[in-house]
Amino acid sequence: MEFSGRLDSVSVADLLQWASNDGRTGALVFRTSSREKEVFFQEGAVVGATSDDPKEYFGQFLLLEGYLTEDQLLEVLTWCRETQRRLGVGLVELGILPEGEAQDALRRKIEDTVCDLFLWDHGVFYFAQRMPRQEELLPQPIHTVGLAMEGARWEDEEERIRRVFVHDEVGLCRGSRWPGSPEDPRQDRILETFEEGITIGELYERVKGSRFRFLEAAFDLTVQEVLDIESVGEGGARGSSTEIRIFDLLMEQAAQEEVLFSRRHLSLPLEVLDEFYPVWMEPESREMSLPSEVEAFRRRMDGSVSLRSLIMEEGADRGRRMEILLLELRKGNLVLLPRPRSEMDSSEEGRGEGWLGRILGRG
């Protein structure tokens, strides 16, 4: 990394200006412990942006903006899987969208992906000398000044919306003008999936897409009295939120030290992981409490389960588990055994704890 830092010390607007002023070509990568976005520059102008959050994929954007139907999306995704081509190419090749309209949709999606970064209150960033395939880039770049202005508008607008939707546990009900006259496909989707008493957070999980665009559409429906606020709630488990925030800070610090890399940089084949069995050496004193899922994962690292099995368990957040693993390795809290601990305990060299002492330099 030739340029890296934390978002609480450098604003996204300043980073866009830096890339523009220096005429940079490459990717600005933005990360938290659970999310990653990349913004691609060609000679200082934005030509692409991606997110690893499935709720923000291009296909979701196309559905929510009314560019295509679910059947059309399924058709084009099947074509993309069979041909190994990108979604934007498939839209044109299958005649679902004219090339100009497909480019316009991609441009709007890129703008939303970048503007969402203005709403991140923490994270790390770094610049990397890499670019995606040409078909993933815009032929006409986006100037950073316009993006910075729109991002600032998102910040102001979200602050205004959050004065009413103070947190994601706010419960909604039908308003006096239900069902009203929805003004766009996203509002249609909100009303289609709406249930009495549903919270803002639950409704977003059904609608998906850009969280800001969702909040904007739901807020407009509330202003129109199509929706109303039924309850404010307590804003979720505050202790848990604090724990997750602390964990994010740990992950950011590790990333800033160039220890944690994007999952795509981890080139070890999964079959190699089968050969190692992690044992977590719990410190005598605990500096802080961490989320329960982190503690549960740590307890599973007892030398009886292979790394592959731990990471690939059904329902597991694999990316998050890999990050925990890398962080514990960096902190020196993990020992990787060549075979299960039970086998080592029963072998001649492993009688007692001699083998463990030798690994840790204590025997």
Side-chain angles (χ1 to χ4, degrees):
M1 303 177 198
E2 60 176 276
F3 179 51
S4 62
R6 296 172 61 132
L7 288 177
D8 56 7
S9 60
V10 183
S11 71
V12 175
D14 288 340
L15 292 171
L16 294 178
Q17 185 177 4
W18 166 81
S20 176
N21 292 344
D22 281 17
R24 291 282 175 163
T25 296
L28 261 176
V29 184
F30 298 84
R31 301 194 65 206
T32 67
S33 63
S34 58
R35 300 178 68 191
E36 177 177 297
K37 292 193 178 192
E38 292 185 88
V39 181
F40 298 102
F41 297 86
Q42 187 77 48
E43 297 181 352
V46 174
V47 290
T50 60
S51 170
D52 69 352
D53 186 346
K55 294 189 286 293
E56 296 182 343
Y57 284 174
F58 190 28
Q60 289 288 347
F61 175 85
L62 293 168
L63 278 177
L64 290 172
E65 293 294 330
Y67 283 98
L68 43 66
T69 64
E70 290 186 2
D71 288 341
Q72 288 174 320
L73 179 59
L74 179 61
E75 177 188 3
V76 70
L77 288 177
T78 301
W79 182 90
C80 291
R81 185 175 63 253
E82 293 172 349
T83 62
Q84 297 299 304
R85 304 294 298 278
R86 304 298 295 178
L87 179 57
V89 176
L91 294 171
V92 178
E93 291 290 327
L94 296 178
I96 295 175
L97 290 178
E99 184 173 0
E101 194 170 354
Q103 290 292 337
D104 176 69
L106 180 59
R107 184 185 185 90
R108 292 179 58 201
K109 172 63 177 66
I110 290 170
E111 290 174 347
D112 279 8
T113 300
V114 176
C115 287
D116 177 70
L117 290 166
F118 283 75
L119 307 182
W120 287 24
D121 59 3
H122 66 281
V124 296
F125 65 87
Y126 63 87
F127 187 80
Q129 296 285 355
R130 63 169 180 262
M131 293 291 285
R133 290 183 291 182
Q134 189 63 37
E135 64 186 35
E136 300 178 47
L137 303 179
L138 288 172
Q140 297 296 324
I142 306 172
H143 200 281
T144 57
V145 172
L147 283 173
M149 292 177 64
E150 180 64 6
R153 185 189 75 82
W154 280 37
E155 288 183 290
D156 293 340
E157 190 65 11
E158 190 200 38
E159 184 179 354
R160 182 174 74 93
I161 292 171
R162 284 301 188 181
R163 292 171 189 162
V164 178
F165 295 162
V166 291
H167 49 66
D168 283 355
E169 297 304 309
V170 168
L172 300 175
C173 62
R174 292 181 174 87
S176 60
R177 297 187 179 180
W178 174 274
S181 302
E183 298 175 354
D184 58 52
R186 186 173 275 100
Q187 291 186 348
D188 281 331
R189 176 67 176 163
I190 289 173
L191 298 183
E192 285 172 6
T193 60
F194 183 81
E195 291 180 1
E196 287 287 339
I198 194 170
T199 66
I200 294 291
E202 292 167 342
L203 188 56
Y204 171 67
E205 289 299 320
R206 297 183 181 184
V207 176
K208 301 181 174 61
S210 161
R211 182 176 287 273
F212 171 79
R213 294 293 189 195
F214 160 78
L215 287 173
E216 192 176 44
F219 182 76
D220 284 346
L221 288 172
T222 305
V223 171
Q224 297 167 25
E225 299 180 22
V226 176
L227 297 179
D228 201 355
I229 294 177
E230 181 180 63
S231 62
V232 175
E234 298 181 0
R238 297 185 183 275
S240 174
S241 299
T242 302
E243 291 175 353
I244 291 172
R245 171 63 176 149
I246 292 172
F247 180 70
D248 284 339
L249 287 173
L250 285 174
M251 303 307 297
E252 290 166 18
Q253 182 62 37
Q256 193 171 358
E257 293 171 356
E258 304 184 23
V259 174
L260 294 183
F261 292 89
S262 170
R263 290 187 294 277
R264 70 195 60 169
H265 295 145
L266 189 64
S267 57
L268 275 177
L270 286 177
E271 56 267 24
V272 173
L273 299 182
D274 268 330
E275 301 176 11
F276 297 96
Y277 293 76
V279 177
W280 180 53
M281 313 308 297
E282 184 173 3
E284 293 181 2
S285 62
R286 187 69 58 82
E287 295 179 2
M288 61 188 70
S289 174
L290 291 176
S292 58
E293 69 271 19
V294 176
E295 295 291 356
F297 179 52
R298 281 173 162 175
R299 287 194 294 272
R300 294 274 285 135
M301 292 189 281
D302 60 2
S304 66
V305 186
S306 71
L307 281 175
R308 176 187 173 92
S309 298
L310 283 169
I311 294 170
M312 302 299 288
E313 283 179 348
E314 185 176 355
D317 186 337
R318 296 168 187 172
R320 187 175 178 86
R321 287 194 169 192
M322 184 62 77
E323 289 181 330
I324 295 170
L325 175 72
L326 291 173
L327 181 60
E328 295 298 344
L329 281 170
R330 173 67 177 85
K331 292 162 65 179
N333 290 338
L334 277 184
V335 173
L336 298 181
L337 306 182
R339 55 186 185 273
R341 184 171 183 172
S342 59
E343 292 184 16
M344 297 194 69
D345 284 338
S346 62
S347 68
E348 249 182 66
E349 62 177 356
R351 291 181 190 232
E353 288 194 355
W355 63 267
L356 186 57
R358 285 192 293 276
I359 289 174
L360 298 176
R362 296 197 300 257

